[in-house]
Amino acid sequence: MRRQQGQAVVLIALMITVLIGMVALAVDGSRGFAMRRDLQAAVDAAALAAGDNFQQTASYSSAEQAATSIFGTNLRLYTNPPCNPSYGSPGPSPLTINCTYPDGTVLTQQVVSLGAQGSQFNLSARRTLQLNFGGLLTNGVNPAVAGAASGTVNNLLYAPTVAALNQGGCSGSGNPLSVNGSGTLSITGDVVANGTVNVLSGAMSVAGDIYARCQSSIAGATNTCYSSGLGGPCTFPDVMGAVRSGFKIADPSYPIPPLNGTAQGIPGANVVIYPGTYAANPLIGAGRCYFLTAGVYTWRSGYRANGGFVSNELKPPDEPSPTDITQLAAKQFWNTNGVNCAGSFKLTATAGSGSTVGTYGFRLTSIRTDTYNGVSYTRESAPSRCQSLTVNISQVATATVSNVPGAQAYRLYMSTNGCTPPFGLVYTLDVTGTPENDNLSGCPWGPCSLGQTMVSAPAFILAGLPLPNAAAAPGTPGSYPPDDERAPLQAGLPNQNAPRLTPPAGGRGNENECVTAGGGVLVSCPAAVTPGAVVFYIPTGGCLNATSTSDTFIFSGYQYDWISVYEPGAGNPPANTCPNVIAAAGNSAYIGLVYLPSASLNVQSSTTFESQATAGIMADTVSFTGSLPIITYGAGYAPIRPASRLSS
């Protein structure tokens, strides 16, 4: 019996060790699992927050700060940690930032700029688990728990400039995306095809990536630096594009735009036409101009343009040279395609004598009111060229305007120092009569059916008119005019619109204007409403056929998710499967997305996308023939891109 004395103590010690181990496993193990779960959720949220913030602000520093803040909030760490290095932008190499919280938790952010593939935020975190029971069985070192996540945003793969949804050519017949023209098809942004891409004649140059599902190379296609379009080697922030295989883009199934049921007839001689339902093909003819009032145009029998010029752009009379406001621009927008519709204005003074009152400069803007969802919004074009007039006290000064399409009135801005700024608003001139387009041969001043509008005033009144006032709100006495138009994209084209800037600067009349819903207050883009926006809706039974003898220059807006042409696809039956054609005489553009998910599109002219503001094309099949165009993707004129997504 004595030989067995003390064995119970050993057994009990072993059992206590095992018991402590089991308790440690249960308690500390579950605590570690919960910490790992919370840490992973925190880095997931931080990666998404960084991408979402970057999409909204385009600021890497702001995105990195947002990631740190959301990470800390999720782990209930409410003290802003020091970060080394400080927040900033990545260069050719990734930027790595380490932020250490007071409890020792470390958040590491690796930020990468990938060009057309967007921006990537690679986040990892480590946190020490303070052991309770487990510490009794270790050397006293507490283990670390880690989590990692990657978020990407602004990848043009999900918002391509040209997308062909058809899967043909990979394992059978079909040709989803083909180039068979002359010159070079130049694209800024991504090209995505669910089947094959074939360059049969001509060439294709893509400043971005080409995603061809079953091809690793494409004869006749080259990639250049995104976004400059230059050949390699690329200088940061440019990144060289590539051909990438294996991806299949899904039809986003954009919803049908809110339709206007008002029945409309074939356009006559009235320059202004209105949204609604057109049962018959409008058959836009040669020699006429048409201004589109804001809204949705349902072309039930299709839209066919055989000539003339159609647009919803609001322009001033006498567009000025971008380098000299006293001179006319070489090309007036509404004189496109031989249509003589650009307005003009002139100043005159009656005979008179006496002392000189002064030398004044005058500029005009076109204004109109368009309606969306029952709310009216004011649009104002860029200003015209300046004309100066020296008047004596006994004279009467007269301003005469030959009307420009779409204008309902004109705002007259005056400078007291000739054509030297600043200019302040002094008068609003309403359009009289109905501008028509059946007698344009003598425009602007001959027997022109667009009509004229005029106002006169004794010269001595000019000295008492409101002086320019930088603090005056737009449209009030003394307020400054909108910003001037910019230089054309290339010789032979009209000026570009004023850019998007913080209001009241920038454009106030077309695709670069943004206002609040309901109030109509000018705000920075993006925003709820783009006044003046239109959508061409073509249900099954109709086709888009813009011939090479016509020009159509339209812009959509935020309220329509920047879709300029909509034909329903399989997700919104009955699908429109018609063969669409887009050509142009010299100056066409579709500012927004041409969305034809079940139909084909043949682009036949190099002048079909004469704007840097476009979301490009998405169709079942896309072919380019004839003279090949330049298509430049603009994220601000495209459907809302997917928000940040976790990539790992």
Side-chain angles (χ1 to χ4, degrees):
M1 296 292 294
R2 289 183 179 179
R3 293 178 182 177
Q4 297 179 10
Q5 289 180 358
Q7 291 183 8
V9 173
V10 175
L11 292 174
I12 291 171
L14 290 172
M15 291 175 64
I16 290 174
T17 301
V18 173
L19 181 62
I20 292 174
M22 293 176 65
V23 172
L25 203 64
V27 175
D28 290 336
S30 62
R31 289 178 56 243
F33 179 82
M35 179 181 285
R36 170 70 175 79
R37 180 194 61 200
D38 292 344
L39 197 65
Q40 186 62 50
V43 292
D44 286 349
L48 290 172
D52 287 342
N53 183 278
F54 184 73
Q55 189 176 46
Q56 297 174 38
T57 66
S59 167
Y60 282 105
S61 295
S62 177
E64 293 150 8
Q65 173 65 65
T68 304
S69 176
I70 291 296
F71 177 81
T73 298
N74 273 269
L75 292 181
R76 295 172 290 282
L77 302 170
Y78 300 114
T79 301
N80 290 327
C83 298
N84 184 30
S86 58
Y87 301 128
S89 300
S93 299
L95 171 66
T96 300
I97 303 168
N98 292 295
C99 302
T100 304
Y101 292 82
D103 72 338
T105 300
V106 177
L107 173 66
T108 299
Q109 301 186 47
Q110 184 193 63
V111 188
V112 190
S113 177
L114 300 173
Q117 295 183 77
S119 296
Q120 190 171 67
F121 297 87
N122 302 317
L123 273 64
S124 61
R126 296 176 61 85
R127 197 177 199 188
T128 301
L129 174 65
Q130 298 292 331
L131 297 177
N132 291 333
F133 292 95
L136 300 174
L137 304 177
T138 67
N139 60 1
V141 177
N142 292 309
V145 177
S150 293
T152 58
V153 69
N154 294 349
N155 190 338
L156 295 184
L157 165 64
Y158 304 107
T161 306
V162 177
L165 302 178
N166 190 283
Q167 300 181 52
C170 288
S171 57
S173 62
N175 202 5
L177 179 56
S178 64
V179 179
N180 191 9
S182 60
T184 299
L185 171 63
S186 298
I187 295 173
T188 299
D190 281 4
V191 173
V192 179
N194 287 342
T196 54
V197 177
N198 292 292
V199 181
L200 304 173
S201 65
M204 180 169 71
S205 175
V206 179
D209 294 321
I210 305 173
Y211 291 84
R213 187 167 63 89
C214 53
Q215 295 167 276
S216 58
S217 63
I218 302 167
T222 58
N223 293 92
T224 58
C225 301
Y226 176 80
S227 59
S228 70
L230 299 174
C234 305
T235 301
F236 189 83
D238 275 0
V239 175
M240 177 62 73
V243 176
R244 309 176 191 276
S245 60
F247 178 76
K248 178 184 175 184
I249 189 170
D251 176 8
S253 291
Y254 294 118
I256 293 174
L259 303 181
N260 183 335
T262 304
Q264 302 287 356
I266 294 177
N270 193 333
V271 167
V272 178
I273 61 177
Y274 299 92
T277 300
Y278 289 77
N281 193 309
L283 297 173
I284 303 298
R288 289 187 170 183
C289 55
Y290 289 100
F291 181 90
L292 301 172
T293 299
V296 179
Y297 289 76
T298 301
W299 308 109
R300 292 210 168 271
S301 297
Y303 173 86
R304 180 178 179 84
N306 291 319
F309 186 49
V310 178
S311 183
N312 59 331
E313 293 272 347
L314 184 64
K315 297 291 186 176
D318 281 353
E319 292 176 83
S321 163
T323 59
D324 184 350
I325 64 170
T326 68
Q327 300 298 314
L328 288 173
K331 180 71 174 180
Q332 300 287 301
F333 181 82
W334 279 100
N335 282 348
T336 290
N337 193 23
V339 174
N340 197 24
C341 286
S344 184
F345 92 101
K346 57 187 176 184
L347 296 174
T348 57
T350 60
S353 60
S355 60
T356 298
V357 176
T359 298
Y360 301 93
F362 293 89
R363 306 186 76 183
L364 290 175
T365 62
S366 299
I367 62 171
R368 68 173 288 110
T369 299
D370 278 312
T371 302
Y372 171 70
N373 202 23
V375 179
S376 296
Y377 300 94
T378 298
R379 300 168 59 189
E380 183 173 13
S381 74
S384 69
R385 75 181 178 106
C386 175
Q387 295 188 50
S388 63
L389 187 68
T390 300
V391 290
N392 297 323
I393 195 166
S394 63
Q395 291 181 301
V396 173
T398 299
T400 307
V401 185
S402 173
N403 294 322
V404 66
Q408 295 172 327
Y410 304 100
R411 284 178 177 164
L412 186 63
Y413 292 84
M414 185 182 78
S415 167
T416 58
N417 190 22
C419 284
T420 302
F423 294 83
L425 177 61
V426 294
Y427 193 75
T428 298
L429 194 64
D430 290 328
V431 170
T432 56
T434 301
E436 296 186 336
N437 57 20
D438 58 349
N439 186 8
L440 304 175
S441 60
C443 294
W445 299 112
C448 177
S449 59
L450 292 174
Q452 282 86 39
T453 304
M454 63 183 295
V455 63
S456 298
F460 67 84
I461 290 181
L462 299 181
L465 293 176
L467 295 175
N469 178 6
T476 61
S479 60
Y480 285 7
D483 285 352
D484 273 293
E485 296 174 334
R486 295 172 291 169
L489 290 175
Q490 60 189 29
L493 292 178
N495 295 337
Q496 297 183 81
N497 285 318
R500 286 179 174 174
L501 296 172
T502 301
R508 297 188 211 162
N510 297 304
E511 65 272 8
N512 290 331
E513 179 184 14
C514 282
V515 297
T516 57
V521 178
L522 286 168
V523 291
S524 297
C525 298
V529 177
T530 305
V534 303
V535 182
F536 282 11
Y537 172 66
I538 307 176
T540 183
C543 277
L544 173 65
N545 189 356
T547 68
S548 61
T549 60
S550 67
D551 276 301
T552 301
F553 196 114
I554 59 173
F555 66 88
S556 186
Y558 286 103
Q559 64 270 39
Y560 303 123
D561 202 16
W562 283 107
I563 295 177
S564 56
V565 179
Y566 184 104
E567 292 183 6
N572 295 283
N576 189 337
T577 60
C578 80
N580 298 278
V581 174
I582 293 182
N587 182 32
S588 289
Y590 299 84
I591 299 176
L593 176 66
V594 177
Y595 177 66
L596 325 166
S598 295
S600 64
L601 176 65
N602 178 211
V603 180
Q604 299 182 347
S605 171
S606 62
T607 56
T608 50
F609 293 93
E610 298 288 20
S611 171
Q612 288 182 326
T614 182
I617 300 163
M618 179 175 287
D620 181 64
T621 63
V622 183
S623 60
F624 293 90
T625 58
S627 181
L628 299 172
I630 298 172
I631 309 177
T632 302
Y633 176 83
Y637 309 92
I640 297 174
R641 288 181 289 180
S644 175
R645 60 182 66 198
L646 293 177
S647 52
S648 65

